[in-house]
Amino acid sequence: MSWTRKFSCRVDETREGIREARKHQRYYKANKQRLNAEYQAAERAGEVPTKAGLGSGFGLLPWLLMGMGAFSNLFQGETPSPWIGGLGLFTFNSLYIYVAFRAFCKETREATSTRVALVLMGLVTCGLAMGYGGNWLLFFPLLGLATGAVVRLPHLRWVGAVVTVVAGAACVFRDGWGGLDTAYATWISTMVTAAIMSLSEAVRQLREAREELARRAVEEERLRFSRDLHDLLGHTLSVIVVKSEAARRLAPRDLDAALLQVCDIESVGRQALTEIREAVTGYREGSLSTDLDRAASALRAAGIEPVVQRSGHPLTAQTEALLGWVVREAVTNAVRHSGAERCEISVQGSAERVRLRIWDDGRGTAAGTAPTLGECGGENAGTVSIPVVGGTGLKGLAERLAAAGGSLEASPGARGGFVVRAELPVESVAPEPSGEPAGAVRAARIGEVAG
């Protein structure tokens, strides 16, 4: 191939890569917009809470019932200058409601208008308490509640102290030393309300942060998936296209060279298939329960009666992943090769180890033959080692379980059929696939191929 042709191919690959990158970028933006739209729809439907704790100013309104005594005094004629008292009561309630509904949003809570309304409410409270006393002194705890709803640390301490001192002085002036109870109630209402509001806001922020992290995780996983697929397939497919063109050009005049290119294409394709399987396996990693459900479904579809039993303690994700691989491989073999009518799967766990057993009542070995790796000596003499294709199959699983401190055995069952036994410590770590064989599994079914 001339250098001009190579350069042209490289330019074509670059353009294709740019087109793929733009395509994935559009895909990412579209998914981001869709996720935001779904979140907003869920928020409007009330499925995503936007407030926590008290929720809104309505949670603070029932405390206005503390002013019912003063309201009753107005109508019973026990209050001198009732019009002034009524105007003061209306002003206080209006300011309280205004402050209560602005206390749940940081921007409105810290606004100057809210602070001014709180100061005016304090002046009205002092005027009514000093002028009338009695039930009117109960407006001080309401003032403390509004103060705690609006003011936050570090200003809360001195503001709460000022409100409490003013309440104590006014109550002692109008009601003697017994008014200190009202001052204490004012201090308690200020601090408790501030604590509840702060906790409510922290919970809301944590919930919003969790939702944001979940959205970002979904977006990043989608982007990672598209990027990984591009990385896996982009270069490989470009090589296949270039070699296919070369084989097409060489075929009329040099068949051997064209066949060499075709062999290269086959090799590259097989490698790409292996990489895609590894990537998909990582993305489709599920729980052991999911693998057991899928295995039962596959057995029923093949006309094999599944019997699944599970007991013991919950397992770690790594242990479930290893056992899930064994379940998938053993059930696949039973469906393909056994001719069985019944398959039993049992998982028994203890505090230290977990044991998996899969038995079918099939032939015990598949029809046909396959190359073996040799004979085992000792007590296992005469048994057949498993042929290995890549890093998968029961042989590859045996290597993984051995690296994690476990074991895997496959042999004809004592009551006929074929049985696969796996044992793992509860705290096991799934090893990376290894290209070098680490051991053999006893008496495997002949014809085992990579799943």
Side-chain angles (χ1 to χ4, degrees):
M1 183 182 296
S2 64
W3 69 270
T4 55
R5 182 58 181 170
K6 292 181 179 179
F7 177 76
S8 177
C9 292
R10 181 61 61 183
V11 171
D12 292 341
E13 291 178 7
T14 304
R15 289 177 179 174
E16 182 66 22
I18 293 174
R19 283 196 295 269
E20 288 293 329
R22 289 176 178 174
K23 177 182 177 181
H24 293 311
Q25 186 178 16
R26 290 193 299 269
Y27 178 79
Y28 168 75
K29 290 181 179 179
N31 276 284
K32 182 178 180 180
Q33 294 174 358
R34 182 178 62 82
L35 288 172
N36 289 335
E38 291 178 357
Y39 176 78
Q40 292 172 3
E43 190 176 28
R44 288 192 297 270
E47 298 175 2
V48 179
T50 57
K51 303 288 184 183
L54 297 176
S56 67
F58 289 103
L60 300 178
L61 295 185
W63 294 101
L64 285 174
L65 295 175
M66 294 178 63
M68 289 299 296
F71 187 79
S72 175
N73 291 342
L74 285 176
F75 282 90
Q76 293 177 0
E78 299 177 1
T79 302
S81 303
W83 290 106
I84 296 177
L87 180 62
L89 183 62
F90 176 80
T91 303
F92 179 88
N93 289 341
S94 300
L95 292 172
Y96 180 89
I97 293 173
Y98 178 82
V99 171
F101 278 93
R102 294 175 66 86
F104 287 84
C105 179
K106 183 178 181 180
E107 290 76 16
T108 56
R109 182 175 64 242
E110 296 178 353
T112 303
S113 58
T114 305
R115 303 298 174 87
V116 172
L118 186 63
V119 172
L120 291 177
M121 188 166 60
L123 295 177
V124 172
T125 302
C126 290
L128 295 175
M130 295 295 291
Y132 298 116
N135 291 328
W136 297 83
L137 297 176
L138 296 178
F139 286 114
F140 275 113
L142 286 176
L143 175 62
L145 192 150
T147 302
V150 171
V151 183
R152 296 288 185 272
L153 293 173
H155 306 295
L156 178 64
R157 293 188 180 90
W158 68 266
V159 173
V162 170
V163 172
T164 302
V165 170
V166 172
C171 293
V172 169
F173 177 79
R174 292 292 307 182
D175 201 22
W177 293 108
L180 292 178
D181 294 338
T182 304
Y184 178 75
T186 302
W187 169 259
I188 291 297
S189 64
T190 302
M191 295 304 162
V192 170
T193 304
I196 294 175
M197 294 291 291
S198 299
L199 180 61
S200 173
E201 186 175 359
V203 171
R204 184 177 65 250
Q205 291 175 351
L206 288 174
R207 183 172 296 164
E208 293 173 352
R210 183 184 63 185
E211 294 166 352
E212 179 63 21
L213 289 174
R215 289 196 302 272
R216 290 184 179 181
V218 171
E219 294 171 359
E220 291 174 359
E221 184 63 17
R222 292 178 185 271
L223 182 61
R224 183 172 75 91
F225 185 78
S226 61
R227 183 175 59 247
D228 288 353
L229 286 182
H230 178 266
D231 293 340
L232 287 172
L233 294 178
H235 175 71
T236 303
L237 293 179
S238 299
V239 173
I240 291 175
V241 170
V242 172
K243 288 186 173 291
S244 299
E245 293 176 352
R248 176 175 53 83
R249 290 195 306 270
L250 292 172
R253 62 179 184 272
D254 191 347
L255 185 58
D256 292 337
L259 290 176
L260 182 60
Q261 295 294 331
V262 172
C263 290
D264 290 342
I265 293 173
E266 182 182 2
S267 176
V268 172
R270 290 184 181 276
Q271 180 63 28
L273 183 59
T274 301
E275 293 174 350
I276 289 296
R277 283 175 174 171
E278 292 176 353
V280 172
T281 299
Y283 281 109
R284 296 178 61 184
E285 200 66 62
S287 64
L288 181 58
S289 299
T290 302
D291 290 322
L292 292 174
D293 292 339
R294 290 175 179 171
S297 177
L299 290 169
R300 282 191 292 267
I304 303 174
E305 178 187 359
V307 179
V308 180
Q309 298 177 348
R310 183 175 182 179
S311 62
H313 301 280
L315 306 176
T316 62
Q318 301 292 353
T319 303
E320 290 203 355
L322 286 169
L323 295 180
W325 290 336
V326 178
V327 170
R328 291 195 294 269
E329 186 67 26
V331 170
T332 299
N333 294 336
V335 170
R336 290 180 178 177
H337 309 303
S338 69
E341 297 181 355
R342 178 184 176 89
C343 181
E344 298 179 359
I345 305 174
S346 65
V347 181
Q348 298 178 348
S350 62
E352 297 180 354
R353 301 187 73 82
V354 58
R355 295 173 177 84
L356 169 67
R357 180 180 180 273
I358 303 173
W359 171 82
D360 64 69
D361 60 355
R363 292 186 295 268
T365 58
T369 59
T372 63
L373 296 179
E375 303 293 326
C376 298
E379 63 178 1
N380 298 327
T383 59
V384 182
S385 299
I386 293 177
V388 179
V389 182
T392 59
L394 291 176
K395 178 67 177 290
L397 291 178
E399 297 169 4
R400 292 181 180 228
L401 267 67
S407 62
L408 178 69
E409 293 183 354
S411 62
R415 49 184 175 140
F418 195 81
V419 62
V420 177
R421 299 182 183 88
E423 185 174 342
L424 274 173
V426 172
E427 296 293 339
S428 62
V429 179
E432 294 295 328
S434 173
E436 297 294 331
V441 179
R442 298 187 293 119
R445 181 181 291 114
I446 298 176
E448 175 67 36
V449 295

